[in-house]
Amino acid sequence: MLYLILSIICSVTVGVLFKTAKNYPVNISQIVAWNYVFAVGLCYQFFKPDMSTVDSNATWHIYIPLAVLLPSIFIFLALSIKHMGIVKTDAAQRLSLFIPILAAYFIFKESFNTYKIIALLVGFPAIALILSKKDNNSASKWFYPTIVLLGFGIVDILFKQIALHNTMPYTTSLFIVFCGALAVAWLYVFFKLIVSREKLSLMNLAFGALVGIFNFCNILFYLKAHKAFSENPSTVFAGMNMGVIVLGSLVGILFFKEKMSKLNYAGLVLALFAIFFITLSQFQAH
């Protein structure tokens, strides 16, 4: 559970950094690109990936989609916030929980015990209550949050596949994915530099460095959590998403002074119960 908790903290921190960055003259695509420079550097420094293990058994059919999806989802997240607002974007990101949970049952053939069923029955309305807010934005562009929802769900599933791949170290796989994401992100930045004549700035570098450190730690601990709970992927899927919702909401209330309705608070309580039952389900599994 320690790995899962650390992953949740790092994930929320990345969100806080992006939210804080909105107060400065920054370029999201450049922050994302610099983020992968630091993520690749940290991965190489700490894991010393052995590239000699990369052979025909390497899961390129997973690496390549992840290399494209990771930076793309960050950019679509920013576009969704711009066109739809933070509320609908957060809802789309958290509702991506449904995709890996369904995958755990239909693809990974995981059997759900009673505690896990209760957790899901409590958790889904919890998410709905936490995200319930009035929104009068009629000019809705659902394309962006839809991409965010599908993207985060697919990324979760692909990382699960990497965690279960035994022919080469997952740290080497992580390094390959980060290198691919770095290449994709910088191709987009260079395109914008040439076509839109955007400029590089130290502010983007600073935010990119912080995002890169916490993004690296988030994915690292997330993979370790999947290794620890390899027989119960929905434990990590649900625990991660609900944990991020609870911690993210607390950070929003205490540090960003966001207003919460009674329904929002009721959702937080239900989410805590859901996480409690998920934990019980893991103990029952052992």
Side-chain angles (χ1 to χ4, degrees):
M1 290 301 292
L2 176 61
Y3 291 136
L4 184 57
I5 292 171
L6 290 174
S7 182
I8 290 169
I9 292 173
C10 290
S11 178
V12 171
T13 302
V14 169
V16 169
L17 288 170
F18 274 117
K19 188 167 184 176
T20 304
K22 291 179 60 182
N23 300 322
Y24 298 88
V26 296
N27 183 300
I28 296 297
S29 61
Q30 289 186 27
I31 291 177
V32 171
W34 282 117
N35 142 72
Y36 286 113
V37 170
F38 286 88
V40 167
L42 286 169
C43 194
Y44 183 81
Q45 179 67 30
F46 283 94
F47 300 138
K48 308 295 184 185
D50 183 6
M51 301 306 291
S52 65
T53 62
V54 181
D55 52 22
S56 58
N57 291 323
T59 53
W60 294 106
H61 64 288
I62 300 178
Y63 298 154
I64 294 174
L66 273 175
V68 175
L69 276 172
L70 287 176
S72 300
I73 293 306
F74 272 127
I75 293 173
F76 272 107
L77 189 69
L79 289 172
S80 183
I81 291 173
K82 177 181 178 181
H83 292 287
M84 294 292 294
I86 294 176
V87 175
K88 286 189 175 69
T89 302
D90 280 348
Q93 183 180 353
R94 303 315 174 197
L95 288 175
S96 67
L97 167 72
F98 284 93
I99 296 174
I101 285 292
L102 293 174
Y105 184 80
F106 290 106
I107 298 177
F108 304 134
K109 307 300 180 182
E110 177 187 340
S111 59
F112 286 1
N113 58 36
T114 303
Y115 288 130
K116 193 161 293 182
I117 293 173
I118 294 174
L120 293 176
L121 291 175
V122 174
F124 290 146
I127 294 174
L129 289 172
I130 291 172
L131 298 175
S132 63
K133 288 185 179 180
K134 292 182 180 180
D135 193 338
N136 298 320
N137 181 15
S138 57
S140 298
K141 297 182 179 179
W142 283 101
F143 172 75
Y144 298 113
T146 299
I147 294 297
V148 169
L149 187 152
L150 293 174
F152 274 101
I154 294 170
V155 163
D156 274 352
I157 294 171
L158 291 176
F159 271 123
K160 168 60 181 174
Q161 293 300 300
I162 287 182
L164 296 177
H165 190 63
N166 297 319
T167 60
M168 59 186 292
Y170 75 87
T171 50
T172 301
S173 296
L174 184 62
F175 180 74
I176 295 172
V177 170
F178 277 160
C179 285
L182 183 150
V184 171
W186 277 103
L187 280 174
Y188 181 77
V189 168
F190 287 137
F191 173 79
K192 297 292 286 185
L193 290 176
I194 296 171
V195 176
S196 303
R197 299 193 181 280
E198 295 179 350
K199 295 181 179 179
L200 298 173
S201 74
L202 290 176
M203 185 69 71
N204 294 323
L205 170 59
F207 272 103
L210 291 172
V211 171
I213 292 171
F214 285 102
N215 186 35
F216 169 78
C217 293
N218 171 35
I219 296 176
L220 167 65
F221 291 131
Y222 187 63
L223 286 174
K224 283 183 175 292
H226 267 306
K227 280 285 187 180
F229 298 123
S230 61
E231 299 300 321
N232 292 277
S234 64
T235 299
V236 179
F237 289 148
M240 178 68 183
N241 283 276
M242 294 175 188
V244 167
I245 287 174
V246 173
L247 182 58
S249 297
L250 291 175
V251 169
I253 295 167
L254 298 177
F255 294 98
F256 292 99
K257 308 301 180 183
E258 295 181 356
K259 295 181 179 179
M260 297 281 289
S261 67
K262 292 180 179 179
L263 288 178
N264 299 147
Y265 282 114
L268 285 175
V269 174
L270 286 179
L272 289 172
F273 275 112
I275 294 171
F276 172 73
F277 281 113
I278 289 172
T279 305
L280 286 181
S281 75
Q282 184 60 36
F283 289 150
Q284 187 184 64
H286 292 285

